[in-house]
């Protein structure tokens, strides 16, 4: 039986509901689409355009508007990341389609994939990788990074993957038109022959999940693993993934086959960010034999993973904030403190605590308390410096600053995820 049969169930009225959600989440600073329409403006004329849009989708005549390309700075880097900004109405339609596709594909996605899926975020991915390395026969880890992933996707393969699973011609027609939507940049319109712009509501589901589900996940689980001599595991978060192996020979074979597999679908590995690392419970012993003081480290989702031991002397995978992410967080906090130094102390404290809570919530993983305390101390020092710079004739000494902190305290570092909780949310 064709997998696509019986999936002609898209509720054509669902964009109405999605537009309501966009209205709630919208920010005034968000870039506008090619029509220049804001969410409040689209809300006022909602009844004018919604019926026409739904009818065009129903007869498969919907014309996807051009995507406005803007560039946003990459945190901690000089280069900028291209971002596609769809129109408000088109965004509502994309979210509606993404909901339906997510319900379809969630039944098929494998346990090794995380990100863009309900209950399978970055912490679940990190916990799963932690458990795999700690509890399974893993001695070699292949860190892999895809080069220009979103800009290299093959439209032809994407549509073939979707048609394999989805039977509703309206959805397939919509996806084809979204993939082919032209790009507006610097007043000029360019055809889009490959790739998918980052920023669309449906791009994460189609590219990072559906595309890599067929290109990478199924291939590794069903083709690669049965042919290996030892154990092997994969943890993928969107387009970032790590492969774990018991034997080096298996890792080298898969690394070579992986390049060929990705090339078939228009993808390549970033050689400077792809490396094979000896990592696991016996890595410390082998490192000393090879003249190294300690085993190498690996990087995943903003964390540095390293080999260590617990108080009982047993092997443990340690996690700490990656140095570049730590610098990035401190730069962002310092920039915020410079810009708001003339606000009231209460307003400054509210803003700083909001940023600190967000940092602690993500990086507050067992074993990483030192990095959190480092951020807290750096914020205190720089905040005092900014308060002192508010006047040429007045300086905040540490004794005065302690009184300010007592009245307007900063949030203390807190771990949100213990080792036992990491074991509980591991999903492999």
């Amino acid at each position: 039986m064709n997998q696509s049969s019986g999936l002609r169930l898209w509720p054509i009225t669902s964009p109405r509901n999605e537009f309501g959600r966009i209205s709630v989440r919208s920010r005034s600073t968000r870039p506008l689409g090619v029509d220049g329409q804001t969410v409040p403006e689209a809300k006022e004329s909602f009844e004018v355009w919604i019926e026409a849009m739904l009818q065009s989708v129903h007869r498969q005549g919907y014309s996807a508007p051009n995507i406005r390309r803007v560039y946003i700075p990459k945190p901690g880097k000089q280069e900028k990341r291209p971002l596609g900004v769809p129109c408000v109405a088109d965004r509502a339609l994309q979210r509606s389609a993404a909901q339906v596709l997510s319900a379809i594909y969630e039944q098929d996605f494998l346990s090794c994939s995380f990100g863009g899926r309900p209950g399978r975020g970055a912490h679940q991915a990190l916990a799963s990788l932690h458990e795999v390395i700690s509890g399974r026969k893993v001695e070699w880890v292949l860190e892999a990074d895809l080069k220009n992933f979103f800009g290299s996707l093959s439209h032809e393969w994407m549509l073939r993957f979707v048609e394999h699973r989805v039977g509703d011609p309206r959805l397939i027609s919509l996806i084809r038109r979204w993939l082919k939507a032209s790009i507006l940049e610097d007043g000029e319109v360019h055809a889009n022959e490959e790739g998918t712009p980052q920023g669309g509501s449906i791009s994460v589901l189609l590219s990072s999940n559906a595309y890599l589900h067929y290109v990478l996940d199924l291939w590794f689980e069903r083709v690669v693993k049965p042919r290996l001599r030892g154990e092997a595991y994969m943890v993928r978060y969107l387009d970032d993934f790590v492969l774990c192996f018991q034997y080096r020979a298996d890792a080298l074979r898969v690394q070579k086959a992986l390049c060929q597999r990705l090339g078939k679908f228009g993808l390549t590995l970033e050689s400077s960010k792809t490396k094979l690392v000896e990592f696991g419970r016996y890595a410390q012993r082998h490192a000393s034999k090879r003249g190294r003081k300690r085993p190498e480290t690996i990087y995943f989702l903003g964390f540095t993973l390293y080999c260590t031991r617990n108080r009982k002397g047993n092997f443990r995978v340690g996690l700490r904030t990656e140095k570049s992410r730590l610098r990035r967080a401190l730069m962002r906090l310092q920039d915020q403190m410079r810009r708001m130094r003339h606000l009231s102390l209460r307003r400054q404290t509210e803003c700083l605590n909001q940023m600190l809570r967000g940092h602690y919530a993500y990086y507050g993983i067992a074993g990483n308390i030192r990095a959190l305390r480092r951020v807290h101390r750096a914020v205190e020092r720089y905040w005092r410096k900014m308060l002192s710079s508010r006047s040429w004739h007045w300086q905040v000494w540490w004794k005065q600053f302690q009184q300010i902190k007592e009245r307007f305290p900063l949030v203390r570092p807190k771990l949100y995820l213990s080792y036992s909780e990491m074991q509980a949310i591991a999903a492999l």
Side-chain angles (χ1 to χ4, degrees), residues 232-411:
Y233 305 92
M234 179 174 70
V235 177
R236 178 176 65 80
Y237 182 86
L238 298 180
D239 60 324
D240 294 329
F241 62 97
V242 173
L243 303 177
C244 305
F245 302 92
Q246 182 178 358
Y247 298 116
R248 184 172 184 269
D250 286 343
L252 292 173
R253 285 177 58 202
V254 173
Q255 186 174 7
K256 182 178 179 181
L258 179 62
C259 294
Q260 298 173 349
R261 173 71 177 181
L262 294 175
K264 179 180 177 181
F265 299 95
L267 303 176
T268 55
L269 289 174
E270 179 64 71
S271 57
S272 62
K273 298 181 180 179
T274 301
K275 63 176 182 177
L276 182 62
V277 177
E278 187 175 16
F279 194 91
R281 61 179 61 251
Y282 300 111
Q284 181 71 57
R285 183 192 308 169
H286 296 161
S288 58
K289 291 180 180 178
R290 291 174 172 80
R292 295 194 302 266
K293 292 183 179 180
R294 59 181 63 89
E296 294 185 73
T297 56
I298 60 176
Y299 306 94
F300 190 55
L301 301 182
F303 285 86
T304 299
L305 281 72
Y306 59 96
C307 298
T308 185
R309 297 190 180 277
N310 60 17
R311 293 178 180 178
K312 296 181 180 180
N314 298 324
F315 171 75
R316 170 172 284 171
V317 177
L319 295 100
R320 61 171 178 259
T321 309
E322 191 180 333
K323 289 182 179 179
S324 62
R325 298 294 185 97
L326 190 60
R327 286 195 300 269
R328 187 188 308 176
L330 292 176
M331 287 171 58
R332 188 169 61 249
L333 284 159
Q334 290 173 0
D335 179 64
Q336 180 64 28
M337 284 184 277
R338 280 194 298 270
R339 288 189 285 110
M340 69 177 186
R341 58 184 164 177
H342 293 294
L343 298 179
S344 67
L345 289 176
R346 184 178 302 278
R347 184 70 188 95
Q348 290 187 50
T349 308
E350 290 173 353
C351 185
L352 283 176
N353 281 338
Q354 183 180 18
M355 297 179 72
L356 287 172
R357 286 190 192 98
H359 184 84
Y360 299 158
Y362 183 75
Y363 290 102
I365 290 183
N368 197 36
I369 191 65
R370 287 185 180 179
L372 302 187
R373 288 172 179 162
R374 181 178 174 185
V375 170
H376 186 268
R377 288 194 299 268
V379 168
E380 284 189 338
R381 289 194 298 269
Y382 201 79
W383 191 27
R384 188 189 73 87
K385 182 179 179 181
M386 287 299 99
L387 292 179
S388 298
S389 69
R390 300 209 294 185
S391 171
W392 288 100
H393 309 289
W394 184 66
Q395 184 171 355
V396 178
W397 300 102
W398 278 106
K399 185 176 181 180
Q400 296 170 296
F401 186 64
Q402 292 299 330
Q403 295 173 347
I404 292 174
K405 287 199 303 176
E406 288 177 6
R407 187 175 177 186
F408 303 101
L410 294 177
V411 177

